[in-house]
Amino acid sequence: MSDSSGDAIPVGGLRAAAYTIPTDAPESDGTLAWDSTTLVVVTAEAGGRTGIGYTYAGPAAAAVAGHELAEVVIGRDALTPQASWAAMQHAVRNLGRPGLVAEAVSAVDIALWDLRSRLLDEPLTRTLGAMHDATPIYGSGGFTSYDNTRLAEQLGGWAEAGIGRVKMKVGRDPDADADRVAAARAAIGDDVDLFVDANGAYTRKQALWWANWFADNGIRWLEEPVSSDDLPGLAQLRAHGPGGVDIAAGEYGYHLPYFQAMLDADAVDCLQADVTRCLGISGVLRVAALCDARSLDLSLHCAPQISAHVGTAIWHLRHLEYFHDHVRIEHMAFDGVLQPDSGGVLRPDRTRAGHGLSLRDAEVEQFRVA
């Protein structure tokens, strides 16, 4: 439904639901263990069309989106999602924006951008002003809870599928990591890049020691070696660590001041941002602008079925994390999901309006918790 008159199309409804889905096996990283993941889905309606947004958050995010944020968005012009985004920023001042509230805003913002694209009968990539045809990905999982056989099968499977970069978790049991890295390398071969993610498990001195060890073993990406809140520690490792190993962090950023502080501290070689956390599409495009101003790459964190579309509009894009949990959940929850092609990219379908996803209500209803 294209609006050629220029008249506003008011948002007529906004709903949210939460689904807690068990993992296919126990999972852990350097600092956390879990056995389920909660998907919060937002639907926004206007002009006979429905837009879909989502985030990975606690069920309370659905309450924030379906109540406080719905009151802000309903009645506003569905063709101007950034105006609704700005209004939501003001409305959540006393709720505490960083964290769960930012995740709720993110899901609503994604739904509104999708709705706008569907009203205009155009793909989301065109709405966002794409400059790339596709978004490069890296396979991500390799949980510390996996034995070496499972680790090798997962990472080796991505390599066989043509994905040229894979990532594994490290840091929970450093004494075991040398053998785990060796098993991963044997499974993927010498031509596939191996990344590691410590999820903040190391002290500063541990991180420096392991950075040198990883460099000696051909690893060029070290994510969150220390806590992402330890900006001096990240900056110290970036300045004094081995050449050729990129320090990455940023996935826990919820608003622009966080990313500005990380960049001002020279804490990373490649910034990360999660569109389902950092205030949605409107938020991540602003994070991307901070990177553009510094000619610094941005790597998108997880939620591949929306991030693949957003990535096409980011100038200094490096890649997208194709995270095992989210890949599995999004294939379960949505029709219209993108599959990696042989070049290790996700290529949005430009023949479909919006991001092309539709919720598989019957399949996910059994997991609904809010």
Side-chain angles (χ1 to χ4, degrees):
M1 174 183 172
S2 176
D3 179 67
S4 58
S5 68
D7 294 336
I9 304 177
V11 176
L14 190 142
R15 298 187 303 275
Y19 308 91
T20 296
I21 300 171
T23 58
D24 57 2
E27 295 174 355
S28 64
D29 57 32
T31 53
L32 188 68
W34 63 96
D35 59 11
S36 65
T37 300
T38 299
L39 172 73
V40 175
V41 178
V42 169
T43 55
E45 300 172 353
R49 299 291 173 89
T50 300
I52 296 174
Y54 63 96
T55 186
Y56 292 94
V64 173
H67 295 90
E68 285 84 357
L69 298 182
E71 292 178 359
V72 176
V73 168
I74 291 174
R76 291 185 176 272
D77 187 2
L79 296 176
T80 59
Q82 296 216 48
S84 292
W85 181 85
M88 287 190 287
Q89 306 311 303
H90 292 291
V92 301
R93 186 194 69 183
N94 292 340
L95 295 180
R97 183 169 57 192
L100 184 143
V101 172
E103 292 166 331
V105 171
S106 298
V108 173
D109 182 74
I110 293 166
L112 293 177
W113 275 102
D114 183 44
L115 177 60
R116 182 184 193 276
S117 296
R118 295 183 194 236
L119 288 167
L120 296 176
D121 287 317
E122 66 181 21
L124 181 59
T125 54
R126 182 178 300 161
T127 303
L128 297 178
M131 61 187 73
H132 313 292
D133 292 330
T135 298
I137 61 173
Y138 65 87
S140 172
F143 303 108
T144 58
S145 51
Y146 287 178
D147 61 25
N148 286 0
T149 299
R150 178 83 183 260
L151 174 71
E153 289 174 350
Q154 186 182 71
L155 273 60
W158 285 319
E160 290 176 8
I163 298 175
R165 300 157 294 270
V166 300
K167 188 175 79 177
M168 59 183 287
K169 303 292 190 179
V170 296
R172 176 168 289 269
D173 180 7
D175 291 340
D177 281 338
D179 285 342
R180 296 179 66 247
V181 167
R185 177 55 73 190
I188 65 175
D190 294 332
D191 295 331
V192 174
D193 292 335
L194 180 59
F195 298 170
V196 294
D197 182 359
N199 290 98
Y202 299 136
T203 66
R204 292 184 186 182
K205 288 192 174 181
Q206 281 180 313
L208 182 58
W209 191 94
W210 276 104
N212 283 285
W213 189 91
F214 291 134
D216 289 343
N217 285 271
I219 292 170
R220 298 290 178 259
W221 172 277
L222 175 53
E223 185 175 329
E224 280 196 310
V226 297
S227 169
S228 56
D229 293 325
D230 183 9
L231 299 186
L234 289 169
Q236 183 182 75
L237 188 60
R238 185 188 181 203
H240 301 292
V245 177
D246 278 353
I247 303 303
E251 67 185 68
Y252 298 111
Y254 293 101
H255 60 172
L256 283 177
Y258 173 96
F259 297 101
Q260 181 68 47
M262 182 166 280
L263 293 170
D264 284 346
D266 289 328
V268 294
D269 295 294
C270 182
L271 187 67
Q272 295 176 286
D274 187 323
V275 67
T276 71
R277 289 177 179 166
C278 70
L279 303 175
I281 293 172
S282 299
V284 82
L285 292 178
R286 285 162 170 79
V287 175
L290 295 177
C291 290
D292 293 343
R294 295 165 170 82
S295 296
L296 187 76
D297 283 352
L298 179 65
S299 178
L300 294 178
H301 176 261
C302 297
Q305 293 303 320
I306 182 59
S307 298
H309 296 262
V310 177
T312 65
I314 293 174
W315 181 15
H316 288 92
L317 174 72
R318 184 172 298 190
H319 41 46
L320 158 66
E321 183 169 357
Y322 195 65
F323 182 55
H324 171 72
D325 275 359
H326 293 184
V327 171
R328 174 176 170 267
I329 288 171
E330 289 168 17
H331 277 74
M332 182 186 303
F334 301 116
D335 285 321
V337 297
L338 305 173
Q339 299 284 358
D341 71 16
S342 58
V345 301
L346 289 179
R347 193 176 306 278
D349 182 354
R350 297 195 178 195
T351 69
R352 305 187 67 175
H355 51 49
L357 299 176
S358 57
L359 185 65
R360 305 178 71 189
D361 296 273
E363 284 74 7
V364 297
E365 186 59 31
Q366 62 181 310
F367 302 114
R368 184 164 179 167
V369 294

